[in-house]
């Protein structure tokens, strides 16, 4: 889960092949078309295609109905991110600490987090992104905790 992007070229090709085989693009697009992006949709999609939640979330960033970003965080540090090509921001530094303005920061500091997506400043995650011109820009953030692994999958989206 936390080492998705730390693979060889052969492993990356195998992952891409497996994703296409198990979650064929037209099937995946049809499965998520018009549906609200949330933890329930990702879990249902993972179950439908019989894949991991992580695999379904990554695939969503490739072909999902709404542009989204997925960030895997372990012990408050970014492991990797997958970002839809049409998401307005594209850069999250790997191995950076989670920003204090995010609910993920709260989660890793033992505080309560919202169960649904909540509004946060875009700079909480994209503070180094050159596309972030407006410091007041907002995105939504939803945390899917994996406490057993001291990790969380963070889903980021833009407001409609």
């Amino acid at each position: 889960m936390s080492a998705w992007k730390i693979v060889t070229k052969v492993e990356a090709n195998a992952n891409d092949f497996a994703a296409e085989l198990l979650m064929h693009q037209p099937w995946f697009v049809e499965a998520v078309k018009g549906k609200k992006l949330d933890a329930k949709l990702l879990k249902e999609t993972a179950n439908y295609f019989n894949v991991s939640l992580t695999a379904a979330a990554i695939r969503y960033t490739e072909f999902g109905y709404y542009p989204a970003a997925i960030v895997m965080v372990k012990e408050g540090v970014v492991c990797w991110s997958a970002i839809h090509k049409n998401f307005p921001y594209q850069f999250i530094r790997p191995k950076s600490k989670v920003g204090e303005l995010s609910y993920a920061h709260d989660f890793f500091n033992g505080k309560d987090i919202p169960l649904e997506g909540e509004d946060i400043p875009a700079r909480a995650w994209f503070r180094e992104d050159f596309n972030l011109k407006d410091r007041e820009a907002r995105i939504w953030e939803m945390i899917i905790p994996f406490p057993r692994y001291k990790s969380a999958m963070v889903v980021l989206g833009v407001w409609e």
Side-chain angles (χ1 to χ4, degrees), residues 70-81 91-111 113 120-128 139 141-144 150-156:
I70 304 296
V71 186
M72 184 57 69
V73 181
K74 183 172 177 75
E75 297 179 346
V77 176
V78 173
C79 297
W80 55 262
S81 61
F91 182 73
I92 297 173
R93 185 174 302 281
K95 299 182 182 174
S96 62
K97 289 188 176 182
V98 172
E100 293 180 8
L101 298 174
S102 75
Y103 286 106
H105 181 272
D106 293 348
F107 170 73
F108 287 104
N109 285 285
K111 297 180 182 172
I113 57 169
I120 63 166
R123 69 182 186 277
W125 286 99
F126 298 98
R127 54 191 171 271
E128 296 181 69
I139 59 175
E141 173 192 58
M142 179 182 59
I143 313 297
I144 302 173
K150 299 179 183 171
S151 300
M153 180 186 304
V154 181
V155 180
L156 303 171

Side-chain angles (χ1 to χ4, degrees), residues 53-87:
L53 181 63
T54 304
I58 292 167
R59 195 68 167 170
Y60 194 95
T61 65
E62 296 171 329
F63 304 115
Y65 192 72
Y66 298 104
I70 304 296
V71 186
M72 184 57 69
V73 181
K74 183 172 177 75
E75 297 179 346
V77 176
V78 173
C79 297
W80 55 262
S81 61
I83 303 172
H84 189 281
K85 66 183 179 186
N86 293 331
F87 197 80

Side-chain angles (χ1 to χ4, degrees), residues 7-139:
V7 295
T8 67
K9 182 78 169 153
V10 172
E11 288 173 305
N13 288 339
N15 288 344
D16 291 344
F17 177 78
E20 182 58 26
L21 182 67
L22 297 171
M23 297 177 282
H24 185 51
Q25 179 182 346
W27 302 339
F28 190 88
V29 169
E30 187 62 30
V32 300
K33 187 164 108 181
K35 296 178 182 171
K36 178 184 173 192
L37 174 58
D38 57 16
K40 181 181 175 195
L41 175 63
L42 292 176
K43 288 174 186 172
E44 287 173 354
T45 305
N47 288 337
Y48 179 78
F49 289 106
N50 199 27
V51 298
S52 70
L53 181 63
T54 304
I58 292 167
R59 195 68 167 170
Y60 194 95
T61 65
E62 296 171 329
F63 304 115
Y65 192 72
Y66 298 104
I70 304 296
V71 186
M72 184 57 69
V73 181
K74 183 172 177 75
E75 297 179 346
V77 176
V78 173
C79 297
W80 55 262
S81 61
I83 303 172
H84 189 281
K85 66 183 179 186
N86 293 331
F87 197 80
Y89 315 110
Q90 293 290 313
F91 182 73
I92 297 173
R93 185 174 302 281
K95 299 182 182 174
S96 62
K97 289 188 176 182
V98 172
E100 293 180 8
L101 298 174
S102 75
Y103 286 106
H105 181 272
D106 293 348
F107 170 73
F108 287 104
N109 285 285
K111 297 180 182 172
D112 290 336
I113 57 169
L115 298 176
E116 299 293 325
E118 290 286 336
D119 179 69
I120 63 166
R123 69 182 186 277
W125 286 99
F126 298 98
R127 54 191 171 271
E128 296 181 69
D129 192 300
F130 291 130
N131 293 328
L132 184 61
K133 308 280 189 239
D134 179 4
R135 293 199 36 87
E136 302 305 314
R138 310 293 288 183
I139 59 175

